[in-house]
Amino acid sequence: MNSSDVPIYKQLKEQIKNLIITNKLKSGDKLPSIRVLARDLKISVITTKAAYEELERDGYVEIAPSKGVYVSCKNKELIREEQLQNIENLIKTSIDIAKISNISKDDINDIIDIYWEDLNE
């Protein structure tokens, strides 16, 4: 799992978050316990606990003491809004780079179209 400089708990958090955002994990689904997930991934329970706590803080899971960890019933519109903000930030950064590099809007649109089509194949 640790293939980058990103801490393991953050990698785990992002993986679980992506499963929720893509609806592979749905509201009310039970996640493995901290100990079971740590054992299965061969990581520390402290690492797993940190990932779950951040997911809870961000509203993606609910931790019910003695009952388990469940995917939150967080409003899908809030998740969509968060993703739109992420996309807007990435697009703004890309436009800033394009302007500095004298790359046209048409070139950027072509790049977007190519990637969009590649993902739909």
Side-chain angles (χ1 to χ4, degrees), residues 11-21 25 31 37 51-52 55 60-61 71:
Q11 292 179 46
L12 178 58
K13 173 192 168 191
E14 287 304 312
Q15 288 175 8
I16 294 170
K17 184 176 164 182
N18 286 335
L19 290 171
I20 294 168
I21 290 169
L25 287 173
L31 277 63
L37 187 57
Y52 276 179
L55 286 163
Y60 287 93
V61 302
V71 175

Side-chain angles (χ1 to χ4, degrees), residues 29-82:
D29 284 354
K30 186 174 183 180
L31 277 63
S33 72
I34 291 171
R35 280 180 288 192
V36 168
L37 187 57
R39 184 194 66 220
D40 290 350
L41 296 176
K42 295 177 178 45
I43 60 176
S44 161
V45 292
I46 295 169
T47 299
T48 307
K49 184 176 187 266
Y52 276 179
E53 286 174 345
E54 281 205 9
L55 286 163
E56 181 181 41
R57 186 196 69 224
D58 294 346
Y60 287 93
V61 302
E62 297 169 4
I63 300 173
S66 302
K67 294 186 179 185
V69 180
Y70 296 87
V71 175
S72 175
C73 297
K74 184 175 182 178
N75 185 330
K76 292 290 181 187
E77 195 59 36
L78 290 175
I79 293 173
R80 183 178 186 280
E81 189 62 33
E82 181 179 294

